[in-house]
Amino acid sequence: MLPPLEIEVTRTLIVAGAIASRDYQDVHHDPEAARAKGSPDVFMNILTTNGLVGRYITELFGPAAVLRRVAIRLGVPNYPGDTMVLRATVEEIRDEVDEDTVVVRVVGDNGIGRHVSGTVTVTLPGTVTLPGTVTIPETVAVPEGGGQ
């Protein structure tokens, strides 16, 4: 498991994300309209969630990381006043010419359940170093038995 990212879900984040992604659906900025449509409050749109997932992965893997595919599915809504915690695990690492491709499973939970789940495919130049680990160059001789 990679380090998690906690995101405070504020009304400002929800509205700004909707405006930035040109999603003018009233349920993302007008609490009265959201309530009239059966929601207790405004809620985050998928484009904002998609952006937050991308931010999480690029913060984990660094500025050289290139998002190649983001495939997410929404679950329960993100409402103002909650916290979403994004978590990730590496599913696959493919060693390719001049870069490595990493497939990462991502989930994001809030106080009422799972908000987002999916996978992100990211490419990295050179050899993959997972956050919190050390990469040993192939030229370093490791004693038989791992040096113990």
Side-chain angles (χ1 to χ4, degrees):
M1 174 97 36
L2 299 169
L5 174 64
E6 289 189 14
I7 298 169
E8 296 300 318
V9 181
T10 65
R11 186 172 307 280
T12 301
L13 175 63
I14 291 169
V15 174
I19 292 170
S21 60
R22 296 183 176 197
D23 183 346
Y24 303 115
Q25 293 291 318
D26 54 8
V27 295
H28 302 306
H29 64 84
D30 183 340
E32 292 305 316
R35 281 191 276 282
K37 293 180 178 177
S39 178
D41 205 338
V42 296
F43 55 90
M44 187 175 286
N45 71 356
I46 191 168
L47 296 171
T48 302
T49 300
N50 195 66
L52 293 170
V53 167
R55 168 190 158 199
Y56 175 47
I57 296 301
T58 55
E59 283 183 3
L60 283 173
F61 290 97
V66 177
L67 301 178
R68 296 295 182 190
R69 182 172 187 264
V70 178
I72 61 171
R73 176 175 290 220
L74 291 184
V76 301
N78 262 342
Y79 292 118
D82 209 341
T83 299
M84 178 174 62
V85 181
L86 292 170
R87 292 181 177 83
T89 55
V90 174
E91 287 195 336
E92 179 183 2
I93 300 174
R94 294 189 299 261
D95 186 17
E96 299 172 357
V97 177
D98 295 329
E99 65 185 16
D100 287 337
T101 298
V102 181
V103 179
V104 182
R105 169 132 328 260
V106 178
V107 296
D109 297 314
N110 62 31
I112 57 176
R114 173 116 331 135
H115 172 69
V116 64
S117 60
T119 59
V120 178
T121 303
V122 59
T123 55
L124 305 162
T127 302
V128 171
T129 301
L130 297 177
T133 64
V134 176
T135 299
I136 300 173
E138 292 178 16
T139 57
V140 174
V142 176
E144 196 169 313
Q148 298 177 6

